[in-house]
Amino acid sequence: MKTRYHFDNIEEPVMIPFTPLPVSSKLPYQLCTIGYVHFAQDFYTQREGQQNYQIIHTDAGSGLLTYKGKRYTLEKNHVILIDCNEQHHYCTGPAGEWKYRFLHINGGGCPAFYDTINQSGLTPVLLAHSSEFNYCFQKILAYVEEGDLRSDLVIPVHIMRILTELALNRNNQHTRKSEYHRQVIDDAVRFMENQIGRADFSVTEIARHAGFNENYFSRLFKRMTGTSAQEYLIRLRIDRSKHLLKKSAKPVSEVAFEVGFENVNVYIRDFKKLTGVTPLKYRLYAEGV
């Protein structure tokens, strides 16, 4: 691990390390360090090879981050999730001061959230309302400072809530255009739900309904939801078929046709890919649930 830094304090930094007990060491999220800092113009940190992830929430001023060859300005209410194994450098930004809170975290669940939040490259997330982040951060900080015996089992829950909040808001730019795009995708999903019983229903028709060409709509859908329109449509069909499998005695082939699959073998293949079992086994296991 390589780290260089220079502190230029406005307030004394608070950085509290935390070592999980064995009871929580295999949970998907663990806390390594939590803290808050307020630096003047000459602060910087340069790091690589650290085996954890870092969440940074800018509370005031601004910061500059160089990560994977790109530079990002981190302004008030921007939150980022970075992989500290990658070479990166951050410092006080043009505001001349930078006040931020941070968590270093680890665990098997972190890579999936990192990929979800940063699926199009590193994404500073704008939280217009930081109440969820503030609540979870304060809870984690209190558990660490008080040495609460429940901390090893409760802290991972709050870490997951913070990561979920970032994932939900990763496309939140608070512009008229982004709000319009969100409405377009919401309307497209409702259109899918109403049409999934049609075997001839396609992404082309969904895009036409939304008022875009298919290529642009597909890119927009992927950016806003994290998955392709075709994958989302298949999942809707599979979810609808689960309901039919549990609530009716219809043959698997009839269920497949009712949710828009022309070929029962394709339905069985897609069902098993998403659930890990065949439709028939799902019906047997789900009976009475």
Side-chain angles (χ1 to χ4, degrees):
M1 181 180 73
K2 298 178 181 179
T3 303
R4 296 176 59 227
Y5 61 87
H6 174 72
F7 286 179
D8 186 11
N9 301 336
I10 294 177
E11 300 177 54
E12 189 66 24
V14 174
M15 295 175 284
I16 308 174
F18 182 81
T19 302
L21 294 172
V23 67
S24 64
S25 62
K26 293 184 179 180
L27 292 178
Y29 312 101
Q30 292 102 40
L31 177 68
C32 303
T33 312
I34 185 170
Y36 48 91
V37 297
H38 191 182
F39 292 125
Q41 183 64 52
D42 293 331
F43 160 74
Y44 75 87
T45 290
Q46 183 174 338
R47 180 193 297 122
E48 67 177 306
Q50 184 166 305
Q51 302 299 312
N52 59 41
Y53 294 80
Q54 185 177 16
I55 300 168
I56 298 176
H57 182 296
T58 297
D59 294 310
S62 64
L64 291 176
L65 168 69
T66 302
Y67 186 79
K68 292 187 176 181
K70 294 185 178 181
R71 202 174 199 192
Y72 305 85
T73 300
L74 308 175
E75 298 179 337
K76 184 177 180 179
N77 293 331
H78 273 140
V79 190
I80 56 166
L81 173 65
I82 61 175
D83 180 353
C84 292
N85 191 51
E86 299 283 349
Q87 185 180 53
H88 56 282
H89 175 280
Y90 51 83
C91 61
T92 302
E97 64 171 312
W98 189 19
K99 185 177 184 179
Y100 65 86
R101 288 170 287 169
F102 69 92
L103 303 99
H104 281 278
I105 61 174
N106 216 334
C110 293
F113 266 112
Y114 175 86
D115 291 341
T116 299
I117 295 165
N118 300 306
Q119 57 190 255
S120 300
L122 187 70
T123 302
V125 178
L126 177 60
L127 293 182
H129 306 286
S130 295
S131 55
E132 176 74 354
F133 181 94
N134 294 341
Y135 173 81
C136 293
F137 185 92
Q138 289 303 321
K139 280 290 187 181
I140 295 171
L141 186 61
Y143 278 114
V144 172
E145 289 181 330
E146 295 168 10
D148 194 304
L149 293 175
R150 299 170 297 172
S151 60
D152 282 87
L153 296 178
V154 178
I155 285 174
V157 175
H158 292 296
I159 292 174
M160 186 179 71
R161 287 178 60 172
I162 288 174
L163 293 172
T164 301
E165 184 75 356
L166 298 185
L168 290 173
N169 287 276
R170 68 188 185 279
N171 295 310
N172 191 6
Q173 300 301 318
H174 295 283
T175 65
R176 290 184 178 181
K177 186 175 182 180
S178 64
E179 182 61 30
Y180 168 66
H181 284 163
R182 192 173 297 108
Q183 292 174 1
V184 166
I185 297 304
D186 288 345
D187 181 64
V189 169
R190 287 192 293 270
F191 185 57
M192 288 183 188
E193 292 171 341
N194 292 330
Q195 302 293 329
I196 58 174
R198 289 173 42 207
D200 62 344
F201 187 55
S202 67
V203 174
T204 302
E205 185 174 345
I206 302 167
R208 189 164 57 244
H209 172 81
F212 297 110
N213 68 60
E214 185 175 351
N215 287 336
Y216 180 84
F217 174 78
S218 295
R219 291 196 301 271
L220 176 64
F221 195 97
K222 180 72 177 287
R223 177 164 62 84
M224 298 296 287
T225 67
T227 189
S228 72
Q230 183 63 30
E231 289 171 337
Y232 197 93
L233 178 59
I234 292 172
R235 190 180 74 175
L236 285 177
R237 284 175 163 156
I238 297 301
D239 283 347
R240 181 71 61 84
S241 76
K242 286 180 178 179
H243 177 78
L244 294 173
L245 289 167
K246 291 200 305 183
K247 300 297 183 181
S248 76
K250 295 178 180 179
V252 168
S253 58
E254 187 175 338
V255 169
F257 298 145
E258 193 166 330
V259 297
F261 285 91
E262 290 185 292
N263 187 310
V264 67
N265 291 324
V266 173
Y267 166 65
I268 293 172
R269 180 200 66 193
D270 288 347
F271 191 101
K272 187 172 183 180
K273 181 179 178 180
L274 287 178
T275 68
V277 296
T278 64
L280 185 57
K281 285 187 177 180
Y282 176 83
R283 168 176 274 165
L284 291 174
Y285 295 150
E287 186 176 358
V289 176

